[in-house]
Amino acid sequence: MSDLPEFTIKVDQNPYLPDGGREMHAVVTVEATGAASGMPKPSTAEAAEIIIIDTSGSMSYSGKMAAAKRAAKAALNVLRDGVHFAVVAGANQPRMIYPLGERLVRVTDKTRHDAQSAVAKLDAAGGTAIGTWLRMADRLFAEHRSAIRHAILLTDGKNQHESAEELDAALGQCAGSFVCDARGVGTDWEVAELRKIASTLLGTFLDVPDPRDLERDFLDMTEAAMGKEVADVMLRVWTPQFARLRFLKQMTPTVEDLTGRHRQSGKQTSDYPIGAWGTEDREYHLCVEVEPGDVGRQMRAAWVKLVVPGSGATQPEQVLASGNVLAEWTDDEAKSTRINGRVAIHTGQSELADAIQEGLEARRTGDEETATARLGRAVVLANRVGNDQIAGLLDRVVDVIDQESGTVRLKKDVSKADEMSLDTRSVRTVRTRQGDTATGEQQGGG
């Protein structure tokens, strides 16, 4: 245990429910700090890393292949000595770039140099079948299940050379096997496809419109992966008899609905996978529906634990931290109508992501009325939660006539890159103006 980060769980909520009230909301903040000193330290955990580079024919245009090579070489430079790794080229079928044969090798000065030399020889030809790339990664990781397993996937195009069902089947096979950060370079790839891949594989996804930005992005992803210290963490939620968990969403660093991903771990407990962890913090919004109690009654509405599953008798399950979500019924209206500040912020962030995605989809299908209404609502929410980054991206898609009411006009000429950036980043939350201090409670209904 001493080699793992120190984990803490903090619960923000208004515990008071009105007479007859059922629905309790809470924000669960999970924080991991350096084990010994509370400061970040280089990870020494066993790790495995695979870099998957799209080498389809379209990568030969606009400097994308040259940029991808620079990015892959930069990522290889920051892999820790001793980490197992491989580089894979993706086209109609994947192929090993380094090493030869389907296997991972440890990072040494020699293997790093040899891998960079192999990357330098990459060329672009063929199509795109991302599911086959992921299946190869899964095979490569198979002998390293005790390691922290991470893949980087770069593509510039749509998944045209396999069916949607084939990609879904590959994702089903790979879910839980490794974490994958996905990146789309240029503007010819599908946001929904990469969102699905990253969501299923508990990673991030992002647009990189300018290939020159790939190198910095690959460095950031690899450095973050090398900082992870514990793999396959689960958020375990216990609820009382007759209670129902309505939803569980990760809210920072990205909005991700985890509700449907649980597996039963006990009579009244469910485990939700939350991936690998280093020195970092994330926030989760949960809502539990409980049986109403008498005025004055107090109860535990949920019990949240952070768990590392065991693997046989030699490695028992570890509980890293825990926290309680409480409920108390009151006839004091002032108490029961207070809205916790962090709950309010995250409710707004979740609605903001939905409004943007729905508005952009309506715009793509020619439904200008719905697009205007939903993107106008997004303008209101971005201002309300203080998400300046999203507000700036919305300004490239709509003309804001009145920010308070959300009155907007769709811009006629919007670049594809701007539309894709707004769509992609709609789920990426930031430490907002209000969110930095929204730890108290606010008066209000709803």
Side-chain angles (χ1 to χ4, degrees):
M1 285 288 289
S2 60
D3 292 333
L4 296 181
E6 296 278 352
F7 284 89
T8 58
I9 285 180
K10 175 188 174 186
V11 178
D12 285 294
Q13 64 168 141
N14 173 15
Y16 294 104
L17 289 171
D19 188 12
R22 292 175 172 268
E23 197 171 280
M24 177 54 65
H25 290 259
V27 171
V28 176
T29 301
V30 180
E31 184 174 10
T33 56
S37 63
M39 299 295 291
K41 63 182 182 65
S43 175
T44 58
E46 184 73 12
E49 183 76 22
I50 299 174
I51 300 171
I52 307 171
I53 302 295
D54 186 338
T55 57
S56 61
S58 57
M59 284 289 289
S60 62
Y61 299 101
S62 305
K64 288 179 286 189
M65 181 53 71
K69 291 179 185 180
R70 290 193 299 271
K73 291 178 183 178
L76 290 166
N77 272 334
V78 297
L79 292 180
R80 299 194 317 270
D81 287 350
V83 167
H84 284 90
F85 81 105
V87 182
V88 172
N92 298 73
Q93 292 292 328
R95 61 188 175 93
M96 296 294 296
I97 297 303
Y98 188 85
L100 297 178
E102 283 197 16
R103 61 194 178 99
L104 303 184
V105 295
R106 287 194 182 273
V107 175
T108 64
D109 288 343
K110 183 180 187 307
T111 59
R112 192 195 316 272
H113 175 268
D114 290 348
Q116 290 175 327
S117 296
V119 166
K121 299 173 184 175
L122 282 174
D123 57 7
T128 304
I130 296 174
T132 66
W133 312 350
L134 295 172
R135 288 182 188 274
M136 174 175 275
D138 187 50
R139 294 194 300 271
L140 292 170
F141 282 128
E143 295 184 6
H144 303 273
R145 294 304 188 200
S146 62
I148 296 168
R149 305 168 305 282
H150 177 258
I152 292 172
L153 186 151
L154 173 69
T155 187
D156 78 324
K158 302 175 181 67
N159 195 45
Q160 293 179 321
H161 293 87
E162 65 181 359
S163 67
E165 291 75 18
E166 287 173 313
L167 177 58
D168 286 345
L171 289 171
Q173 174 184 315
C174 297
S177 296
F178 58 95
V179 171
C180 181
D181 290 328
R183 294 295 184 264
V185 62
T187 57
D188 293 327
W189 52 280
E190 288 284 354
V191 173
E193 278 181 354
L194 281 204
R195 179 181 284 127
K196 178 188 288 188
I197 291 166
S199 174
T200 302
L201 301 181
L202 302 178
T204 63
F205 84 109
L206 196 61
D207 61 309
V208 188
D210 188 339
R212 291 173 295 183
D213 295 330
L214 278 176
E215 185 172 349
R216 179 70 262 170
D217 194 45
F218 269 49
L219 280 171
D220 290 343
M221 286 189 287
T222 310
E223 287 171 349
M226 292 299 97
K228 302 301 184 186
E229 297 176 73
V230 56
D232 304 325
V233 179
M234 296 283 180
L235 196 63
R236 176 170 295 167
V237 182
W238 172 92
T239 52
Q241 192 174 14
F242 307 120
R244 178 173 71 96
L245 188 74
R246 293 197 59 216
F247 64 76
L248 175 68
K249 298 179 181 180
Q250 177 183 280
M251 295 307 304
T252 61
T254 57
V255 178
E256 189 65 59
D257 193 344
L258 304 176
T259 311
R261 303 189 184 185
H262 69 280
R263 63 174 180 81
Q264 290 297 121
S265 54
K267 187 176 180 181
Q268 293 168 238
T269 60
S270 294
D271 288 356
Y272 298 82
I274 55 174
W277 279 71
T279 300
E280 60 190 295
D281 63 274
R282 305 178 202 171
E283 296 181 3
Y284 302 87
H285 181 184
L286 68 79
C287 174
V288 61
E289 186 178 290
V290 296
E291 288 287 296
D294 296 331
V295 169
R297 183 192 172 198
Q298 299 176 330
M299 70 172 291
R300 177 191 277 166
W303 189 13
V304 181
K305 295 181 180 180
L306 211 63
V307 176
V308 177
S311 57
T314 58
Q315 189 176 351
E317 175 182 284
Q318 299 178 62
V319 177
L320 305 175
S322 64
N324 289 308
V325 178
L326 305 175
E328 179 178 346
W329 283 267
T330 180
D331 55 8
D332 184 336
E333 186 176 357
K335 287 183 177 180
S336 65
T337 56
R338 282 201 296 264
I339 302 173
N340 177 270
R342 298 209 73 80
V343 170
I345 289 295
H346 286 321
T347 300
Q349 293 271 28
S350 183
E351 187 185 349
L352 173 60
D354 290 342
I356 290 170
Q357 291 170 33
E358 291 165 8
L360 289 176
E361 179 60 25
R363 184 179 179 277
R364 283 190 287 268
T365 60
D367 184 352
E368 292 192 5
E369 181 178 353
T370 299
T372 302
R374 298 306 288 144
L375 292 173
R377 178 60 178 164
V379 167
V380 172
L381 292 165
N383 181 55
R384 183 176 298 171
V385 303
N387 196 325
D388 295 332
Q389 182 184 65
I390 290 297
L393 291 170
L394 281 164
D395 283 341
R396 302 179 189 178
V397 177
V398 297
D399 292 315
V400 179
I401 299 168
D402 181 50
Q403 188 179 70
E404 293 299 317
S405 67
T407 304
V408 302
R409 181 172 52 244
L410 299 179
K411 288 183 183 290
K412 294 298 182 185
D413 297 313
V414 177
S415 75
K416 191 173 181 181
D418 284 341
E419 181 181 332
M420 291 176 74
S421 286
L422 178 59
D423 196 354
T424 301
R425 295 162 197 265
S426 63
V427 297
R428 296 176 72 88
T429 53
V430 296
R431 301 297 182 186
T432 62
R433 296 189 302 269
Q434 295 94 323
D436 287 337
T437 57
T439 56
E441 292 171 344
Q442 305 169 347
Q443 289 291 129

